[in-house]
Amino acid sequence: MDINGVWQGLMTDIPQRRRLRVLVIGAGSRGSTYARAIDEHTPGVVAAVADPVASKRNQLGKRYIWKSQSPSTGQSFASWQDYIAFEQERRKTVNNDELDDGCINAALICTLDTQHAEIIRALAPLKLHILCEKPLATTLKDCLDVYRSLQPIPGAEPTTIFAIAHVLRYTPHNILLRKLLLEDKAIGDILSIEHTEPVGYWHFSHSYVRGNWRKDSTTAPSLLTKSCHDIDFLYWMLCDSDSSIESDDRPRMPRSISSTGHLSQFRRSRKPAAAGAATNCLSCNISEDCLYSATRIYDDRHLSMGHTSWPVKIVDPEIEDIYNSRGLQAARARLHHVLAKDYDRGTPKHMVEENNWWGRCIWECDNDVCDDQVVTMTWDEDENRDKPAMTATFHMIASTEAQCARRGRIYGTEGEIAYDSSEIEVTHFPSSTTQTHTPSRSWEKTHAEGGHGGGDEGLAANFVSAVESVLNGASVGDAQRRWLGVNLGDIVTSHAMVFAAEEARKEEKIVRWADWWKETLVVARQERKRGKAKEGLRTETADGWQVI
């Protein structure tokens, strides 16, 4: 992957005849983040937005698309289905050359996780370049279905770029870390890695106890929704993959995957006795002293300090505009009105699950995802590649002061590395020296809150460069490798490792990767053939992994 000039838009060596014009599907926090990154860091154009919430749609549009004007035709859609219908009709009235001139040629999918697979499949016939927020899908079946839907016909080359928001691949810190490990061999061959994601105590309560990702049954396990890019980080560092999953040159996959984890803290049995029967922070006796008080988190820590972006705008996207136009007291009144919403035993289950209850007592929520989980992976010695056996452990833990500031240690045959999100310390055994590297943090100059250590900006810049190089004559395969360093096969494989770990955790077993993956693909292939038979379609397949 070419990472030179990542903060300069990356397209300095390609004639700028045609530019990326992107549709943002989902104008929430992540959609706004990528729209900002594309607008500020790349030559790409944010050209349209689709979101059912008018206030979110208009806010993003005013900031990045139609600015002080009113939206023009083709710039604002109430749903992604409306965009597809519009585009299908538009294409009936223009010739092929006009399709490429001034129209949408890429899409950012930043909706709820459960909607990703459906949207990708629906967009596939339009041949748009796609950047999808992680995870790719919330089930392994849907991941495999997405893979199939984006494959070209047998023997043909791919025609579109596909990127997933595994942003840890695109931070200056991790790019340097990988270079030190795999190119410079700074510690010899890798023997073991310990990688930790400290989620942050109140961050976890916001997103995974009160928020969208609190229930496995309605979204997915926290290992997928929160930490799939950490598992991908380990795949990127340890599996030595520059090839597609369809290739005979397979990545170096682990021998075994196991996992343990549980919901240890945010459950009713851990509720302080002093809180009594209270189910909402606004009526709780210990609210002023509780670490997880909604008023402390959203008002005292954020709104009162003038911070109206995440997480406050997740609670209510209109609070930012209210604060700017009518002041703090009006914004606080709106915030507390939202926090006061609650439910009781008489509330239908579907209503409880379909809404977020931002003021709900942290020990009275309907959450069930893990707040503490460990994944262990082992690799056999690989004599063909002259690589020793390896182990990797990943720890996702909620109860931390640090918030998503990954840290870890890597042990090699000639040294060891300690890293956090700021520095990389390399100890070299033969020379008895220790060197500290401080990667660039230039992303902080334009985004004070950060963006996954610069990963949001890096991914956006690389995606735009990949698409624009294709628009100006490069092959999709070359652009995918050069700018993104990962293909759809790699993306599905790293997701599959998450599902394998979850199966290991839930069934309290060790997953033997090769057998598990082979069986998974056999089952998927059989289901696919049965589905085609029912539809009266041929079951002809291509060689390799595409047989699914």
Side-chain angles (χ1 to χ4, degrees):
M1 181 177 64
D2 191 330
I3 61 171
N4 293 325
V6 67
W7 304 116
Q8 286 72 49
L10 296 165
M11 288 294 295
T12 57
D13 60 340
I14 299 173
Q16 293 300 294
R17 297 186 301 273
R18 291 159 63 184
R19 301 174 68 183
L20 172 140
R21 294 178 57 81
V22 68
L23 163 72
V24 180
I25 302 176
S29 177
R30 297 307 293 160
S32 298
T33 293
Y34 292 122
R36 175 197 56 77
I38 289 174
D39 184 71
E40 294 181 2
H41 294 288
T42 82
V45 176
V46 181
V49 58
D51 194 290
V53 180
S55 60
K56 292 183 180 180
R57 187 169 69 245
N58 291 331
Q59 187 177 69
L60 188 145
K62 289 178 181 178
R63 187 164 294 174
Y64 303 112
I65 306 172
W66 53 84
K67 308 292 175 67
S68 61
Q69 307 297 316
S70 297
S72 302
T73 300
Q75 289 186 326
S76 178
F77 300 92
S79 69
W80 56 268
Q81 295 94 333
D82 286 352
Y83 163 74
I84 290 177
F86 167 85
E87 182 63 10
Q88 288 171 337
E89 287 300 311
R90 190 190 71 81
R91 293 190 181 194
K92 294 177 182 178
T93 65
V94 298
N95 62 43
N96 289 335
D97 291 335
E98 291 173 326
L99 283 176
D100 297 327
D101 186 15
C103 67
I104 300 296
N105 49 37
L108 305 183
I109 300 175
C110 303
T111 60
L112 294 175
D113 301 344
T114 52
Q115 299 173 352
H116 292 176
E118 178 186 9
I119 296 173
I120 293 171
R121 289 193 293 263
L123 290 176
L126 298 179
K127 303 298 182 184
L128 299 179
H129 306 282
I130 293 174
L131 191 165
C132 181
E133 177 55 41
K134 59 89 180 166
L136 179 64
T138 56
T139 68
L140 182 53
K141 180 182 182 301
D142 274 343
C143 288
L144 297 176
D145 285 347
V146 165
Y147 181 88
R148 282 194 299 267
S149 71
L150 295 178
Q151 291 308 295
I153 61 174
E157 293 295 321
T159 58
T160 57
I161 294 293
F162 187 89
I164 192 75
H166 283 157
V167 294
L168 298 185
R169 288 176 176 255
Y170 305 98
T171 71
H173 178 282
N174 291 338
I175 290 170
L176 175 58
L177 177 61
R178 190 171 191 266
K179 180 179 182 296
L180 289 168
L181 284 172
L182 303 185
E183 295 181 29
D184 299 347
K185 299 287 186 181
I187 59 171
D189 289 325
I190 299 170
L191 298 173
S192 184
I193 181 170
E194 304 164 356
H195 179 69
T196 297
E197 179 183 14
V199 182
Y201 70 97
W202 68 260
H203 177 202
F204 193 92
S205 72
H206 166 74
S207 296
Y208 302 93
V209 181
R210 293 177 172 128
N212 287 329
W213 301 282
R214 66 185 186 267
K215 284 183 72 69
D216 189 335
S217 60
T218 57
T219 55
S222 53
L223 185 67
L224 182 72
T225 60
K226 184 69 186 85
S227 301
C228 67
H229 49 186
D230 292 277
I231 299 301
D232 180 73
F233 169 85
L234 295 175
Y235 176 84
W236 184 45
M237 292 286 174
L238 301 178
C239 292
D240 299 335
S241 174
D242 289 324
S243 59
S244 72
I245 196 165
E246 303 94 322
S247 169
D248 291 333
D249 183 17
R250 300 292 178 88
R252 186 188 178 195
M253 298 305 297
R255 170 181 172 81
S256 68
I257 300 177
S258 60
S259 180
T260 58
H262 40 257
L263 175 62
S264 60
Q265 184 175 3
F266 303 105
R267 53 197 313 151
R268 187 169 297 164
S269 61
R270 307 303 302 166
K271 184 179 181 179
T279 61
N280 187 279
C281 293
L282 272 64
S283 59
C284 180
N285 293 330
I286 66 170
S287 181
E288 291 186 3
D289 300 316
C290 177
L291 277 176
Y292 300 100
S293 163
T295 52
R296 288 186 65 178
I297 292 172
Y298 301 116
D299 194 343
D300 297 351
R301 290 183 67 104
H302 291 92
L303 185 61
S304 292
M305 306 297 291
H307 303 314
T308 57
S309 57
W310 186 89
V312 174
K313 70 177 180 181
I314 304 300
V315 175
D316 188 325
E318 297 189 19
I319 287 178
E320 184 174 14
D321 286 342
I322 294 173
Y323 180 90
N324 292 333
S325 62
R326 296 165 52 195
L328 173 61
Q329 294 306 318
R332 177 175 288 141
R334 178 62 171 258
L335 172 65
H336 283 238
H337 172 74
V338 175
L339 296 182
K341 295 179 180 179
D342 204 356
Y343 61 87
D344 56 31
R345 293 181 179 178
T347 306
K349 182 180 179 181
H350 72 90
M351 288 186 61
V352 175
E353 292 182 343
E354 290 171 1
N355 292 279
N356 296 319
W357 307 88
W358 301 113
R360 183 81 175 177
C361 171
I362 208 69
W363 293 283
E364 293 281 356
C365 294
D366 63 337
N367 60 298
D368 60 13
V369 298
C370 290
D371 57 16
D372 186 359
Q373 185 167 358
V374 174
V375 178
T376 302
M377 293 177 276
T378 66
W379 282 258
D380 287 335
E381 180 182 10
D382 189 335
E383 294 183 0
N384 291 331
R385 305 187 199 201
D386 192 25
K387 298 290 186 182
M390 296 188 298
T391 60
T393 58
F394 167 64
H395 188 194
M396 183 272 290
I397 176 66
S399 188
T400 63
E401 173 63 26
Q403 184 172 297
C404 305
R406 275 85 175 173
R407 59 178 181 260
R409 298 189 77 90
I410 306 173
Y411 305 93
T413 54
E414 297 180 5
E416 62 180 305
I417 288 178
Y419 62 90
D420 55 22
S421 293
S422 300
E423 295 182 340
I424 302 169
E425 184 181 88
V426 181
T427 298
H428 187 238
F429 297 159
S431 63
S432 298
T433 60
T434 297
Q435 183 177 5
T436 300
H437 301 264
T438 305
S440 168
R441 298 180 67 86
S442 59
W443 51 274
E444 291 182 330
K445 297 177 182 178
T446 55
H447 191 41
E449 295 180 357
H452 287 102
D456 294 341
E457 292 78 9
L459 172 60
N462 282 45
F463 176 69
V464 171
S465 291
V467 172
E468 293 197 348
S469 63
V470 170
L471 293 176
N472 291 286
S475 74
V476 168
D478 288 345
Q480 188 89 29
R481 284 188 295 271
R482 178 182 180 187
W483 300 109
L484 296 170
V486 63
N487 60 34
L488 187 56
D490 293 313
I491 292 167
V492 173
T493 302
S494 73
H495 277 72
M497 292 169 70
V498 176
F499 290 110
E502 271 299 290
E503 184 174 314
R505 180 185 71 84
K506 291 177 178 178
E507 299 182 17
E508 298 184 329
K509 69 180 186 181
I510 296 175
V511 168
R512 302 297 182 186
W513 170 263
D515 294 338
W516 180 89
W517 191 218
K518 181 178 179 180
E519 181 181 351
T520 296
L521 296 184
V522 167
V523 171
R525 185 185 310 129
Q526 291 171 344
E527 291 180 352
R528 178 68 170 168
K529 288 183 177 180
R530 284 195 295 268
K532 284 192 172 185
K534 288 181 181 179
E535 298 169 8
L537 301 175
R538 293 185 302 166
T539 57
E540 180 181 343
T541 59
D543 293 333
W545 198 65
Q546 291 181 355
V547 295
I548 66 167

